[in-house]
Amino acid sequence: MAPNTSASLPAENVNPKALDHQGSMEHDETQLWAELSVDSWKNSVMSKESVFYDLYIDTRRRLFEACQKHSYDVVVEVGCGTGEVIGHLEGTGKPRIGVDINPDFVTHCREAYKSDTEHIEFHVADAMKLDEWWVSMGYDKKYKAPLLVCPNNTIMIMPEEIRDTVIDKMRVVAGLEGRIVVTFWNGRMFAHGVLGYYKKNSDLCGEFDLSKDHVDWESRKIETLSSYKSQWHTAEEVARWMSSVLIPVTIVEPELKETHEADHVAEYGMGVYLWLKGISPENSSSGSARDYYDSKDSQTFYRTVWGENNTHVGRHDLVEQDPELSEADLLTKIRKAQELQEDCLINTIKGHYGDTKVRCLDMGCGFGGLLRNMHEANMIWTAVGVDISGEMIDAAARLSKDMDALTFYRESYMNTSVPDEAIDLCISMEAFLHVGPGNHEAVLREAWRMDSI
């Protein structure tokens, strides 16, 4: 257990009320949130009759699957409430930390989960100062790949003027190797929420009527007599919000059970999920490379010039030696050069392993074309491709969906989730340089850790 936070954050000792970005204004709706009763909140969202019950179950499922697929080393819930998300992720095998502005919620969680204090802890903390609190607790030294979650429209109950900052603070804590997920209540289901949730839980949210003084059906906003305020967003509105703060996201097909790796927004049932990568530290070459490869312009460029299979420099010397290619157009030559480069590598591998199938890891796999070509050449027993670009990993998974032996993860190849000695062959084609000066040794250590030889 980490030490108590009372010495590092005043929120432990004072009546918690959220402040605006200048730290000077109290917001009635946040004060209400800080004073909600534990029983009212828990009963309103977690009974099987609640309109949000299925969303809670799906949120837990997605977080569990994310922890199984990635090398996250801690799960942090911002606005943990009564612990109905973070408290039920013990199967992830990861340490868990819940923070909330409401001391009663934190007290409740500490009591409710006291039998598992070795793996889960709860603290009162201010989301506006999440990064400062994280450092004050020493977690920045202890954890390198946090998965942060702010579930169930908590972000939209916060005052509008602090929401951007809270998202930013979460991304800072997530850092290079981590990720954040924020869930919203789905704007397309607003009427269902008004009648099926707010009307049934006036003791929690306050009294209201269905007039325009309390319910804005067009903008999907509600404000009760007790100053409780909330708004329900559609996926399109979340994407526009992110665009306004220069965070490009893709809107994926609604009702998908799988979670994409690129920054995206997805509607599912009563919820809208927003998944974002962490913020790169200043001058981080690894972070810069990731942001570069995920950008729309870069993706368009690579797909246009190299195609959606590989992104190698290619063996242009061999192209020039082939008289049949002398009159070919530039794109044909570029793609043939890539093919020849992979052929040379594949022949080298066959010269070493012969007809033996291998367990292979491609460190910086891009669109996954090399592993697909090796699979088609009957060289693969199982293979994993890792890349920091979510856009490329999503494409690799899509293009390889009929090859069960291939798996793709959005991870840094300096810190993968591949078990020790699980790989026969580690490959990195023109990706090694992108980790930046000083990190090459870390890549080699990681390759050595996984290699069975």
Side-chain angles (χ1 to χ4, degrees):
M1 283 288 288
N4 188 284
T5 60
S6 58
S8 57
L9 279 184
E12 292 280 7
N13 296 315
V14 300
N15 183 32
K17 299 177 182 179
L19 303 178
D20 68 0
H21 61 285
Q22 295 177 333
S24 60
M25 184 185 300
E26 294 178 353
H27 297 277
D28 291 340
E29 65 270 36
T30 308
Q31 180 178 353
L32 173 70
W33 186 247
E35 296 172 354
L36 292 177
S37 77
V38 170
D39 289 341
S40 293
W41 170 250
K42 185 171 182 177
N43 293 338
S44 73
V45 296
M46 276 312 299
S47 72
K48 290 188 176 181
E49 291 72 34
S50 170
V51 297
F52 299 120
Y53 181 78
D54 289 341
L55 178 59
Y56 265 85
I57 301 303
D58 187 67
T59 300
R60 293 174 186 168
R61 175 186 67 81
R62 290 178 189 270
L63 293 173
F64 181 85
E65 290 179 355
C67 288
Q68 299 307 301
K69 290 176 61 178
H70 297 286
S71 53
Y72 302 126
D73 50 12
V74 64
V75 183
V76 183
E77 182 175 358
V78 180
C80 62
T82 54
E84 303 307 323
V85 173
I86 195 78
H88 294 266
L89 296 177
E90 63 274 11
T92 64
K94 311 294 183 182
R96 291 161 288 147
I97 301 171
V99 299
D100 203 284
I101 197 172
N102 186 326
D104 291 339
F105 283 174
V106 171
T107 299
H108 166 85
C109 288
R110 287 172 176 169
E111 178 64 25
Y113 302 101
K114 63 183 179 182
S115 63
D116 195 26
T117 54
E118 184 179 350
H119 303 104
I120 188 168
E121 55 191 85
F122 296 92
H123 302 280
V124 177
D126 182 354
M128 286 281 286
K129 301 176 182 178
L130 190 67
D131 56 339
E132 298 175 22
W133 174 81
W134 187 255
V135 172
S136 74
M137 296 293 289
Y139 292 143
D140 61 318
K141 305 297 184 183
K142 186 175 183 180
Y143 301 115
K144 298 302 180 184
L147 174 62
L148 282 84
V149 56
C150 183
N152 303 312
N153 219 42
T154 298
I155 194 74
M156 297 306 296
I157 299 173
M158 297 178 186
E160 183 174 0
E161 58 267 34
I162 75 170
R163 294 171 191 165
D164 291 353
T165 301
V166 172
I167 295 283
D168 183 70
K169 299 298 186 183
M170 290 178 65
R171 296 181 75 205
V172 168
V173 170
L176 270 180
E177 304 298 335
R179 202 177 187 194
I180 80 167
V181 54
V182 180
T183 64
F184 303 79
W185 291 340
N186 191 344
R188 302 189 199 284
M189 308 294 287
F190 180 64
H192 189 34
V194 169
L195 299 176
Y197 178 69
Y198 294 120
K199 270 298 183 182
K200 290 183 177 181
N201 295 283
S202 58
D203 60 328
L204 177 71
C205 306
E207 298 286 347
F208 67 98
D209 58 42
L210 300 180
S211 70
K212 63 181 180 180
D213 293 333
H214 297 286
V215 181
D216 183 340
W217 297 100
E218 183 175 352
S219 298
R220 299 171 304 285
K221 296 179 181 179
I222 185 171
E223 180 172 2
T224 69
L225 290 172
S226 59
S227 295
Y228 174 96
K229 296 179 183 178
S230 189
Q231 183 176 8
W232 293 37
H233 272 345
T234 63
E236 289 79 9
E237 288 168 332
V238 175
R240 284 196 294 272
W241 172 20
M242 291 300 101
S243 179
S244 73
V245 291
L246 303 179
I247 303 175
V249 294
T250 301
I251 300 175
V252 303
E253 180 183 347
E255 304 306 314
L256 285 177
K257 288 192 174 183
E258 62 268 24
T259 298
H260 285 219
E261 296 296 343
D263 288 355
H264 73 276
V265 184
E267 291 185 9
Y268 189 84
M270 290 293 292
V272 174
Y273 291 87
L274 170 67
W275 290 81
L276 299 175
K277 56 182 174 285
I279 290 178
S280 310
E282 187 176 0
N283 299 324
S284 166
S285 58
S286 178
S288 297
R290 181 189 61 185
D291 296 339
Y292 167 76
Y293 282 119
D294 271 348
S295 70
K296 183 178 179 180
D297 286 346
S298 293
Q299 287 295 311
T300 300
F301 175 77
Y302 280 109
R303 284 176 165 90
T304 301
V305 176
W306 278 283
E308 197 177 47
N309 193 52
N310 291 308
T311 53
H312 304 312
V313 172
R315 290 293 303 272
H316 291 273
D317 57 326
L318 298 180
V319 170
E320 292 175 0
Q321 294 171 19
D322 188 340
E324 294 184 3
L325 294 172
S326 61
E327 301 300 323
D329 61 80
L330 181 58
L331 282 181
T332 299
K333 290 182 177 180
I334 289 174
R335 295 178 185 181
K336 185 61 177 178
Q338 290 189 102
E339 180 184 330
L340 292 170
Q341 183 179 359
E342 287 202 351
D343 287 345
C344 289
L345 178 62
I346 287 173
N347 289 334
T348 299
I349 295 170
K350 285 183 175 180
H352 184 77
Y353 288 97
D355 294 331
T356 303
K357 292 184 178 181
V358 298
R359 300 171 299 172
C360 183
L361 172 70
D362 189 351
M363 306 173 83
C365 64
F367 295 126
L370 174 59
L371 292 182
R372 284 192 296 276
N373 289 340
M374 290 177 65
H375 184 276
E376 290 173 356
N378 203 33
M379 301 170 63
I380 295 296
W381 178 10
T382 61
V384 175
V386 297
D387 202 286
I388 54 175
S389 168
E391 290 284 351
M392 288 184 167
I393 287 297
D394 285 339
R398 172 174 52 81
L399 294 168
S400 310
K401 62 182 179 180
D402 296 326
M403 299 180 178
D404 294 338
L406 307 187
T407 305
F408 296 93
Y409 296 142
R410 182 197 56 79
E411 294 180 338
S412 166
Y413 42 83
M414 290 188 290
N415 181 25
T416 75
S417 57
V418 177
D420 293 350
E421 299 185 358
I423 297 298
D424 303 311
L425 173 67
C426 289
I427 298 172
S428 182
M429 287 190 71
E430 300 159 337
F432 189 64
L433 73 163
H434 291 305
V435 297
N439 292 320
H440 298 112
E441 184 177 339
V443 177
L444 294 175
R445 280 199 303 267
E446 181 69 357
W448 182 259
R449 177 188 68 79
M450 295 178 288
D451 205 316
S452 62
I453 298 176

